[in-house]
Amino acid sequence: MADYILKEDQLKLVVELLKEQDVSERIDYCKDTFGTRTPEYRFCTKAAGYIKSQKSYQSDFRKYLETYVDNIVMDRIMIERLTKDHPILTKGIKEIEGFKTLMGGFCNNLDTDELVRRLIDDEHVYYKRPDGEYSVFNRIDTNYSALAVALTFYYNSKGAFELLMHDMGNKLSKVDWNSLAVSWIDHFFNEELEPYDPRSENFRASGPIFDTDSSPSYVLFNKMFDPKNIKVDSKKIFDSILKVLKDVRERGFATEDLFQEKLDEYGIPYKRYARDYGFVDRFLGVDFVVQKGNEWLPVQVKSSKNEPQYRIEELDCDEPIIAIKDGNDFRLNNSRGFERYFCDFLKVCRKD
């Protein structure tokens, strides 16, 4: 089958997904990329849901990328191993310990000792630009939507969907897309697993639905990044990927900045943890803490409602706050607006 090369706009879309997690947005991304009456769309939407439930696959994908960057000469991204004495790690651990001192009496499941132990014992990788500054590729391990689109491109490149539809009479309804997505994603992360083939026995006897690779992730990254295998300017593509990631990152920060502006406007004491590679934000899901008398209340700020459960809830704190952007306001714990919640309900405003 002909070699498939990801187009620049497709690559930009894959990486734009790296932070956006809303289910409706996920479906729209699949729709915008593959249309709606296509096998790719059916696979993409099912794949996103499955990858979201398989956190280990998100971690594995990050490890695959680390290995690829380690072994392929790339002039636009580098990785740095965070040893226990690395300044980024020591600063992050200090931030976590300070958070525990502040919040320890108000959260029942704040096991920072175990977290710190893992941070010291485990190996962590930090993506950076050639100038040594933070790279937005550090966000890649928490984005199931981007992985779903990328894996859809991978199987598209192998002609799998084209052959599948040909042999199924172009009937989308004849395919069990849940089983197909689960099987093909499992195969991507473990090539020894035989991929599910829903075709009839006669078609299966004529040959596999796609040729398997000894390392699917390496093949995918070669198509995306390696200038020896890609038929467009790889530097231009990589620059565009970073630009999209930067734009997405800045939109997230804009929401957190708006929340901070409102805290300042209403004179509410707070501490901010939302920042690039902030450990309290990254590992505990806390963007801010706000003061209520002698207590500190943890806050997770989101640009849209997108999760059935939020990481901050796992801490089992006395009064966790989930702030979801709603126009130029916020819905706090899915009910009140900013002023009603903080001023009327919590009574912590000090606005003149």
Side-chain angles (χ1 to χ4, degrees):
M1 297 179 183
D3 188 25
Y4 178 87
I5 300 300
L6 301 187
K7 297 179 182 179
E8 183 175 346
D9 59 340
Q10 293 173 329
L11 285 173
K12 290 169 68 176
L13 174 63
V14 170
V15 183
E16 186 173 0
L17 289 169
L18 287 174
K19 190 175 180 184
E20 301 300 329
Q21 298 295 306
D22 186 86
V23 172
S24 62
E25 290 183 7
R26 178 193 76 213
I27 295 175
D28 286 341
Y29 278 124
C30 292
K31 174 183 175 181
D32 292 344
T33 310
F34 304 113
T36 56
R37 299 189 59 80
T38 66
E40 290 86 353
Y41 172 76
R42 297 292 184 92
F43 180 86
C44 179
T45 54
K46 299 298 184 182
Y50 182 55
I51 293 173
K52 179 181 178 180
S53 71
Q54 302 295 313
K55 300 299 184 183
S56 63
Y57 283 169
Q58 298 177 40
S59 176
D60 288 346
F61 193 87
R62 181 184 178 92
K63 292 176 182 176
Y64 294 160
L65 182 59
E66 291 170 13
T67 301
Y68 186 84
V69 176
D70 261 343
N71 290 279
I72 301 296
V73 177
M74 301 177 70
D75 63 353
R76 304 299 292 169
I77 186 173
M78 297 181 292
I79 58 176
E80 188 170 340
R81 307 289 174 182
L82 301 186
T83 63
K84 66 178 182 179
D85 297 323
H86 194 286
I88 291 177
L89 189 59
T90 56
K91 179 181 179 180
I93 290 175
K94 183 178 180 180
E95 181 182 77
I96 289 174
E97 291 175 339
F99 178 78
K100 180 182 181 180
T101 300
L102 195 68
M103 299 296 300
F106 310 120
C107 299
N108 300 315
N109 193 31
L110 186 57
D111 189 3
T112 57
D113 293 339
E114 173 63 18
L115 173 59
V116 169
R117 185 194 65 76
R118 293 201 314 269
L119 289 171
I120 293 175
D121 292 345
D122 296 345
E123 185 178 73
H124 296 272
V125 170
Y126 178 76
Y127 284 93
K128 61 182 181 180
R129 305 195 309 251
D131 61 4
E133 293 299 314
Y134 170 92
S135 168
V136 286
F137 262 87
N138 286 293
R139 298 173 178 267
I140 199 170
D141 59 340
T142 58
N143 293 272
Y144 56 85
S145 299
L147 304 191
V149 174
L151 268 60
T152 304
F153 282 139
Y154 170 75
Y155 285 112
N156 184 297
S157 75
K158 305 189 74 60
F161 298 115
E162 180 181 358
L163 182 59
L164 174 65
M165 285 295 95
H166 177 272
D167 292 352
M168 301 293 280
N170 291 313
K171 300 292 186 180
L172 293 170
S173 60
K174 294 179 69 175
V175 179
D176 179 352
W177 292 103
N178 282 318
S179 297
L180 188 81
V182 168
S183 174
W184 288 14
I185 292 168
D186 287 346
H187 170 77
F188 182 89
F189 290 98
N190 182 359
E191 63 277 2
E192 294 183 358
L193 296 176
E194 183 177 352
Y196 169 59
D197 187 344
R199 300 176 300 164
S200 68
E201 185 176 349
N202 290 339
F203 285 118
R204 292 199 301 269
S206 66
I209 196 165
F210 57 82
D211 294 328
T212 59
D213 297 313
S214 60
S215 178
S217 62
Y218 189 84
V219 173
L220 175 62
F221 293 143
N222 265 357
K223 292 180 183 296
M224 293 176 67
F225 300 120
D226 190 351
K228 295 179 181 178
N229 293 286
I230 201 162
K231 297 177 182 178
V232 292
D233 183 355
S234 62
K235 181 178 182 297
K236 181 180 180 181
I237 287 179
F238 199 81
D239 285 347
S240 68
I241 288 173
L242 291 183
K243 180 181 184 301
V244 172
L245 274 175
K246 181 179 179 181
D247 290 345
V248 172
R249 163 179 168 251
E250 289 178 349
R251 286 198 297 272
F253 280 161
T255 299
E256 292 153 355
D257 290 344
L258 175 62
F259 188 80
Q260 181 174 334
E261 289 173 8
K262 289 188 172 295
L263 292 174
D264 289 332
E265 178 184 353
Y266 288 92
I268 302 171
Y270 66 89
K271 296 180 184 293
R272 177 169 176 164
Y273 294 101
R275 62 181 178 84
D276 282 333
Y277 220 77
F279 276 43
V280 170
D281 178 6
R282 182 178 178 83
F283 296 108
L284 299 176
V286 177
D287 298 309
F288 294 85
V289 292
V290 297
Q291 190 171 22
K292 175 190 174 185
N294 295 324
E295 297 181 65
W296 289 90
L297 312 181
V299 183
Q300 186 171 2
V301 179
K302 305 296 291 185
S303 297
S304 59
K305 182 177 177 59
N306 53 23
E307 299 290 344
Q309 183 175 5
Y310 295 88
R311 188 186 306 175
I312 194 174
E313 295 173 331
E314 298 173 5
L315 302 179
D316 192 19
C317 300
D318 292 343
E319 294 186 71
I321 299 172
I322 297 171
I324 301 174
K325 188 174 184 295
D326 183 14
N328 198 43
D329 198 0
F330 289 87
R331 294 187 64 82
L332 286 301
N333 290 346
N334 206 31
S335 57
R336 301 170 174 84
F338 188 96
E339 183 172 353
R340 285 187 61 199
Y341 190 84
F342 283 107
C343 302
D344 300 339
F345 179 62
L346 292 182
K347 301 186 184 303
V348 296
C349 297
R350 302 176 185 176
K351 185 177 180 180
D352 295 336

